[in-house]
């Protein structure tokens, strides 16, 4: 009976539900509209974010378009030539897929054009480089992105002054020049940049200033004046400066392997050798260091010798050699000087004067036309001196640091004969052509050497140069001197020396004769005032020698890049006394931080040298105090260690005394600590007991 009531109740409920649904479907239709005043709090981005990303933009299709104003207005007859000029300027930034030249009713161009690139990146690069590009004296390009016109159209009528931005200091980039004791800095790199350290060459021990792991991926490089430290990465080059070596600027250039600074540190040249295989990637880029922007890029064809560009001393000009041409560019336009290259058939090499806008180049022989060395004045392109040379195999150009002299080392043939209307040469001899740059009409001295030349080096400050010459079994080192109005003279000749490199002190007078490579790292320190050999020694397998900027210290290093073992560096005095030996795992390079030229006049420098004895006592006293301080610090350190040892020893003795009662209990009240080895009366009992037994079944 109860079961039946439950079934009847469920049937009644089902009927009621069915009736309600039928009433809804017939009388009141469902309403899915939002009520009046409803505000949807969910944005379209939250619901359809992935789909909205594919929504077309107004700028799609025009981001790759640029507008060039300032184009010459020409008629139909000159239209083809104009298009060639425009394509020559703008095609180097990428592929131009479309171009439009608006014209008047009579077919004359209106002075502006539209260019469309294959990629928006190409359009951006074209705007950066070609805006304000001077085509000629009457036409200068004004280049903008097509999408920028919307921005210009939305400029408000009323000008509002920009909000002042907080000043962010990058630190004192020249703080190291204010070091009170004039200590120099040097950077040490290990492995492929696995560790980079910056040290201060303080006395008696160097002081570590900075140490970072993976600071660079390959190597490091100082800028010419020492302001920046450059590090190399797969994505580009970064510059660091200031007391904490904070990042000053970064330059994006994928695959960069080489970088070169202009002498005044205004510009940076980066080179990616592998970019030559990728037409869309730039191989060579010149950057403005302070602005961090690209000034111009270049493409390269064929093998290149680094540095590709060579700079004038004042950053106004840079040049490179092409096929039978010399290309000289000017800054800040970065265009060819006078818009044309110098045609010099047979040009082989050139080099700028370190103090004047004069470059020296040499041209090889061509049939009956002799070889020639020429001094060219820039920017007027006037030949101020020529020297013809015969039977020339090769030339090397060496400028003296002060620009007073130029030496051209000439390799010459001794014999020649004619075979099948061709001239054949054999035998070699050598001579040096010395140009006196500061004298009237630039006279030239010649020095002939019959033996092979292994090395040549000018004295940085002075009028001497040194050469290493002779056969391998009998190598000699000769020093020559120059005086104004006098002939070149031999000052000294050292015979039977085991050396193949010359390293002059930056201050002159002192030189290191080094035998690198297979000569085992022999070193000789020579004073060229009286040609005294101050020390003859060696640093086994030395691969590098580096003088500090002051000429007081010299470093010899064994680099992992050249040697397979015993890596590290030694620091020496200019007299050849070892101050520090440092062995480092995978040591790669050590570079002294350069210093800018002195602000003292020549007269002030002479006065200081003249009165040097007056300052000697002051410097000696300071050195003595420094060494005394170092000795005092060493004594204090040893005293502190001794004090710590005595305190530890006293604590252990006190602990030993406190544990004596317990020891007596464990030893049956026999004080074994006080017994002599002969009087000890202690019975020794050996107790053996079974610990464990294991049975292992061997298969």
């Amino acid at each position: 009976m109860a079961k039946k009531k439950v079934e009847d109740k469920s049937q009644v409920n089902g009927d009621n539900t069915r009736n309600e649904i039928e009433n809804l479907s017939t009388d009141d239709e469902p309403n899915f509209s939002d009520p009046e005043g409803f505000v949807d709090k969910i944005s379209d981005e939250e619901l359809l974010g992935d789909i909205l990303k594919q929504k077309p933009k107004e700028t799609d299709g025009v981001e790759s378009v640029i507008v060039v104003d300032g184009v010459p207005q020409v008629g139909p007859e000159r239209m083809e030539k104009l298009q060639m000029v425009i394509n020559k300027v703008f095609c180097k930034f990428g592929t131009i897929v479309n171009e439009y030249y608006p014209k008047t009713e009579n077919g004359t161009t209106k002075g502006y054009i539209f260019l469309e690139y294959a990629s928006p990146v190409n359009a951006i690069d074209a705007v950066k480089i070609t805006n304000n590009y001077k085509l000629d004296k009457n036409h200068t390009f004004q280049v903008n992105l097509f999408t920028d016109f919307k921005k210009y159209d939305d400029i408000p009528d009323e000008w509002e002054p920009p909000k002042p931005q907080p000043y962010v200091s990058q630190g004192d980039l020249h703080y190291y020049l204010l070091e009170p004791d004039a200590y120099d800095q040097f950077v040490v790199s290990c492995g492929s940049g696995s560790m980079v350290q910056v040290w201060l060459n303080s006395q008696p021990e160097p002081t570590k200033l900075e140490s970072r792991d993976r600071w660079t991926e390959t190597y490091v490089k100082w800028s010419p004046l020492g302001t920046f430290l450059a590090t190399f990465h797969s994505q580009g080059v970064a510059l660091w400066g200031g007391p904490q070596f904070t990042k000053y600027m970064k330059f994006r250039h994928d695959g960069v392997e080489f970088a070169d600074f202009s002498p005044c540190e205004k510009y940076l040249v980066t080179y990616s050798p592998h970019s030559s295989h990728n037409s869309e990637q730039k191989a060579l880029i010149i950057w403005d260091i302070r602005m961090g922007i690209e000034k111009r890029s270049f493409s390269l064809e064929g093998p290149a010798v680094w540095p590709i560009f060579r700079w004038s001393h004042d950053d106004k000009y840079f040049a490179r050699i092409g096929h039978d041409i010399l290309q000289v560019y000017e800054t800040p336009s970065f265009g060819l000087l006078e818009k044309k290259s110098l045609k010099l058939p047979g040009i082989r090499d050139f080099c700028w004067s370190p103090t004047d806008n004069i470059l020296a180049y040499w041209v090889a022989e061509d049939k009956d036309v002799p070889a020639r060395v020429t001094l060219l004045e820039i920017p007027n392109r006037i030949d101020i001196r020529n020297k013809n040379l015969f039977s020339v195999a090769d030339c090397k150009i060496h400028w003296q640091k002060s620009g007073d002299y130029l030496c051209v080392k000439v390799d010459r043939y001794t014999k020649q004969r004619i075979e099948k209307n061709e001239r054949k040469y054999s035998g070699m001899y050598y001579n040096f052509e010395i140009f006196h740059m500061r004298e009237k009409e630039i006279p030239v001295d010649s020095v002939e050497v019959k033996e092979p030349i292994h090395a040549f080096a000018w004295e940085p400050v002075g009028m001497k140069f040194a050469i290493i010459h002779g056969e391998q079994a009998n190598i000699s080192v000769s020093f020559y001197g120059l005086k104004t109005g006098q002939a070149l003279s031999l000052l000294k000749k050292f015979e039977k020396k085991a050396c193949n490199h010359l390293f002059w002190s930056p201050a002159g007078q002192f030189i290191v004769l080094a035998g690198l490579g297979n000569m085992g790292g022999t070193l000789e320190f020579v004073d060229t005032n009286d040609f005294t050999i101050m020390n003859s020694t060696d640093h086994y397998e030395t691969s590098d020698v580096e003088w500090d900027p002051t000429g007081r210290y010299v470093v010899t290093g064994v680099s992992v890049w050249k040697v397979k073992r015993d890596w590290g560096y030694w620091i020496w005095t200019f007299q050849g006394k070892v101050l520090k030996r440092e062995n480092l795992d995978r040591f790669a390079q050590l570079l002294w931080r350069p210093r800018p030229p002195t602000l003292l006049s020549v007269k002030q420098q002479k006065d200081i040298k003249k009165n040097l004895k007056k300052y000697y006592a002051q410097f000696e006293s300071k050195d003595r105090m420094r060494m005394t301080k170092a000795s005092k610090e060493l004594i204090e350190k040893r005293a502190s260690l001794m004090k710590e040892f005595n305190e530890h020893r006293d604590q252990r003795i006190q602990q030993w005394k406190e544990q004596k009662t317990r020891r007596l209990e464990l030893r049956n009240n026999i004080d074994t600590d006080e017994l002599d080895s002969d009087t000890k009366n202690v019975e020794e009992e050996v107790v053996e007991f079974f610990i464990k037994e294991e049975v292992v079944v061997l298969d």
Side-chain angles (χ1 to χ4, degrees):
M1 187 70 178
K3 182 178 179 181
K4 185 177 181 181
K5 288 183 179 180
V6 173
E7 292 176 350
D8 293 341
K9 186 176 180 180
S10 62
Q11 184 177 2
V12 171
N13 291 337
D15 294 339
N16 292 337
T17 303
R18 194 180 303 107
N19 292 334
E20 290 177 1
I21 295 174
E22 291 176 355
N23 292 334
L24 286 173
S25 61
T26 56
D27 299 335
D28 299 325
E29 293 183 359
N31 184 9
F32 296 102
S33 302
D34 295 330
E36 186 176 355
F38 175 79
V39 178
D40 191 356
K41 297 181 180 180
I42 302 177
S43 63
D44 292 341
E45 286 75 12
E46 292 178 296
L47 291 174
L48 306 171
D50 54 341
I51 299 177
L52 288 177
K53 290 180 181 179
Q54 305 174 9
K55 180 181 178 181
K57 302 177 184 177
E58 293 182 3
T59 56
D60 285 350
V62 295
E63 288 182 335
S64 302
V65 178
I66 65 172
V67 183
V68 184
D69 199 0
V71 178
Q73 299 180 16
V74 300
E77 68 281 358
R78 300 180 60 191
M79 186 66 184
E80 184 177 353
K81 184 176 181 181
L82 175 62
Q83 289 178 330
M84 290 177 60
V85 173
I86 293 297
N87 288 333
K88 184 178 180 181
V89 174
F90 290 94
C91 278
K92 56 189 176 184
F93 303 104
T95 304
I96 297 177
V97 298
N98 197 7
E99 57 184 25
Y100 176 63
Y101 290 74
K103 301 175 184 177
T104 61
E105 295 179 356
N106 58 4
T108 304
T109 58
K110 293 184 177 181
Y112 59 89
I113 62 173
F114 299 86
L115 301 176
E116 182 181 359
Y117 284 95
S119 168
V121 177
N122 303 141
I124 294 172
D125 291 341
V127 172
K128 286 182 180 179
I129 304 302
T130 60
N131 189 33
N132 294 320
Y133 178 86
K134 192 172 182 180
L135 184 65
D136 54 42
K137 63 173 67 175
N138 297 322
H139 298 89
T140 301
F141 291 157
Q142 302 296 323
V143 188
N144 294 279
L145 292 170
F146 187 83
T147 53
D148 287 341
F149 283 88
K150 176 66 175 174
K151 178 180 67 176
Y152 300 145
D153 189 51
D154 294 339
I155 296 176
D157 296 333
E158 296 183 1
W159 179 78
E160 294 182 3
K163 296 180 180 180
Q165 299 296 324
Y167 172 72
V168 179
S169 175
Q170 292 181 323
D172 183 5
L173 296 177
H174 301 95
Y175 75 98
Y176 62 98
L177 299 175
L178 303 178
E179 214 287 320
D181 293 315
Y183 291 140
D184 285 295
Q185 296 180 9
F186 60 88
V187 62
V188 175
S189 173
C190 294
S192 297
S194 59
M195 182 190 69
V196 179
Q197 297 176 339
V198 181
W199 292 80
L200 183 70
N201 190 33
S202 56
Q203 297 298 324
E205 287 292 328
T207 304
K208 186 189 297 182
L209 301 179
E210 194 75 25
S211 180
R212 300 182 189 178
D213 295 335
R214 309 305 307 172
W215 198 355
T216 183
E217 294 181 12
T218 51
Y219 62 100
V220 295
K221 183 176 184 177
W222 291 109
S223 59
L225 304 180
T227 308
F228 306 109
L229 178 67
T231 58
F232 294 78
H233 311 271
S234 58
Q235 295 181 344
V237 176
L239 300 187
W240 310 79
Q244 306 301 323
F245 287 93
T246 55
K247 185 182 291 184
Y248 178 83
M249 196 69 67
K250 60 180 179 180
F251 305 92
R252 177 65 181 266
H253 192 180
D254 293 339
V256 64
E257 293 185 9
F258 301 96
D260 185 36
F261 291 87
S262 63
C264 298
E265 299 183 347
K266 292 181 181 178
Y267 307 106
L268 176 70
V269 184
T270 58
Y271 175 44
S272 177
H274 305 293
S275 300
S276 58
H277 305 295
N278 186 351
S279 59
E280 295 185 359
Q281 190 174 351
K282 302 169 184 177
L284 197 67
I285 303 178
I286 301 180
W287 307 85
D288 185 303
I289 290 179
R290 288 163 180 80
M291 300 295 293
I293 60 176
E294 178 183 327
K295 302 301 292 186
R296 184 169 177 180
S297 62
F298 295 84
S299 58
L300 299 177
E301 296 179 359
V305 178
W306 186 257
I308 297 168
F309 287 117
R310 301 178 188 178
W311 293 83
S312 63
H313 74 287
D314 54 4
D315 286 8
K316 288 185 178 180
Y317 308 99
F318 59 99
R320 68 171 175 175
I321 288 181
H323 180 64
D324 290 340
I325 60 172
L326 179 63
Q327 297 173 319
V328 181
Y329 299 84
E330 57 183 342
T331 60
S333 67
F334 290 87
L336 274 172
L337 183 63
E338 299 182 5
K339 297 188 177 179
K340 59 182 179 181
S341 303
L342 285 167
K343 294 183 179 180
L344 302 171
I347 185 171
R348 292 293 184 266
D349 195 12
F350 78 99
C351 190
W352 287 95
S353 166
T355 55
D356 304 284
N357 286 333
I358 298 174
L359 57 82
Y361 68 88
W362 78 278
V363 177
E365 288 184 272
D366 183 17
K367 297 181 180 178
D368 294 331
V369 179
R372 184 177 76 257
V373 175
T374 302
L375 298 177
L376 182 67
E377 193 174 57
I378 299 295
N380 51 25
R381 300 189 178 192
I382 296 177
D383 292 350
I384 59 176
R385 187 69 163 89
N386 286 290
K387 175 74 174 179
N388 291 332
L389 304 169
F390 297 91
S391 303
V392 175
D394 191 19
C395 288
K396 292 290 185 296
I397 301 172
H398 304 277
W399 281 96
Q400 187 206 29
K401 186 178 180 180
S402 61
D404 296 337
Y405 300 97
L406 167 68
C407 175
V408 179
K409 171 183 169 287
V410 186
D411 299 354
R412 288 182 165 175
Y413 298 106
T414 56
K415 299 178 182 179
Q416 58 177 318
R417 64 184 186 277
I418 304 297
E419 289 184 6
K420 298 180 181 180
N421 296 326
E422 291 186 7
R423 186 169 295 174
K424 302 291 184 178
Y425 298 95
S426 62
M428 296 290 293
Y429 75 100
Y430 311 86
N431 73 293
F432 297 93
E433 305 290 338
I434 311 296
F435 292 74
H436 297 248
M437 299 299 299
R438 306 304 182 194
E439 298 183 29
K440 187 178 180 180
E441 297 182 354
I442 311 180
V444 180
D445 288 339
S446 295
V447 178
E448 184 176 313
V449 180
K450 298 293 185 181
E451 302 170 316
I453 306 296
H454 304 286
F456 172 95
W458 281 104
E459 183 182 20
V461 180
M463 300 187 193
K464 294 191 288 285
F465 66 85
I467 61 173
I468 300 176
H469 56 95
E471 301 296 338
Q472 290 294 335
N474 187 20
I475 291 179
S476 301
V477 182
S478 297
F479 293 86
Y480 291 85
L482 292 163
K483 290 186 179 180
T484 304
Q486 297 183 13
L488 184 69
S489 60
L490 176 64
L491 302 178
K492 182 68 175 179
K493 181 179 180 181
F494 292 107
E495 296 182 349
K496 295 184 179 179
K497 293 294 181 182
C499 61
N500 52 12
H501 288 76
L502 301 166
F503 297 97
W504 282 97
S505 164
Q509 182 178 348
F510 304 103
I511 189 173
V512 174
L513 312 179
L516 307 185
N518 57 6
M519 289 193 175
T522 60
L523 303 168
E524 285 196 87
F525 295 79
V526 181
D527 182 350
T528 61
N529 273 359
D530 53 9
F531 295 100
T532 302
I533 298 178
M534 299 178 291
N535 190 17
S536 294
T537 181
D538 67 85
H539 180 185
Y540 183 63
E541 292 196 331
T542 295
S543 59
D544 302 283
V545 178
E546 292 281 344
W547 281 92
D548 82 315
T550 64
R552 291 180 293 177
Y553 304 97
V554 64
V555 167
T556 57
V558 180
S559 173
V560 68
W561 294 338
K562 301 176 182 178
V563 182
K564 296 182 179 180
R565 58 187 181 276
D566 298 334
W567 307 302
Y569 63 90
W570 294 4
I571 300 180
W572 310 70
T573 66
F574 67 94
Q575 298 168 319
K577 178 183 177 182
V578 178
L579 298 177
K580 181 180 179 62
R581 293 181 174 90
E582 185 71 24
N583 296 323
L584 284 177
D585 184 37
R586 298 186 61 78
F587 166 77
Q589 60 179 153
L590 184 149
L591 299 174
W592 291 96
R593 188 169 195 166
R595 287 178 173 266
T598 178
L599 300 178
L600 299 176
S601 65
V602 176
K603 183 178 181 303
Q604 289 174 319
Q605 295 180 54
K606 288 182 178 179
D607 291 341
I608 291 175
K609 291 180 180 179
K610 183 178 179 181
N611 301 317
L612 194 59
K613 291 184 179 180
K614 183 174 68 176
Y615 306 111
Y616 178 78
Q618 175 185 346
F619 295 146
E620 187 179 27
S621 175
K622 197 168 186 178
D623 289 341
R624 192 182 302 112
M625 290 177 61
R626 186 182 298 113
M627 296 305 296
T628 302
K629 181 180 178 181
S631 300
K632 183 179 178 181
E633 291 177 353
L634 181 61
I635 293 172
E636 290 177 351
K637 183 179 180 180
R638 290 178 177 175
S640 176
L641 293 174
M642 191 65 182
K643 181 180 178 182
E644 291 179 6
F645 170 75
N646 289 332
E647 290 177 353
H648 178 75
R649 184 171 181 272
D650 292 341
Q651 290 175 0
R652 294 304 180 193
I653 291 175
Q654 182 64 28
Q655 184 181 8
W656 179 78
K657 291 180 178 179
E658 292 173 354
Q659 295 175 349
K660 184 172 183 178
T661 304
R662 179 58 178 163
R663 287 199 304 275
L664 290 175
E665 293 177 359
L666 295 174
R667 299 174 182 176
N668 296 325
N669 292 323
I670 299 175
D671 190 359
T672 58
D673 298 328
E674 301 296 335
L675 294 176
D676 187 70
S677 59
D678 296 331
T679 60
K680 284 182 180 179
N681 186 17
V682 179
E683 294 183 1
E684 181 177 348
E685 182 180 358
V686 179
V687 179
E688 296 181 359
F689 57 91
F690 180 77
I691 299 177
K692 187 179 180 182
E693 181 179 355
E694 291 184 357
V695 178
V696 179
V697 179
L698 299 177
D699 294 335

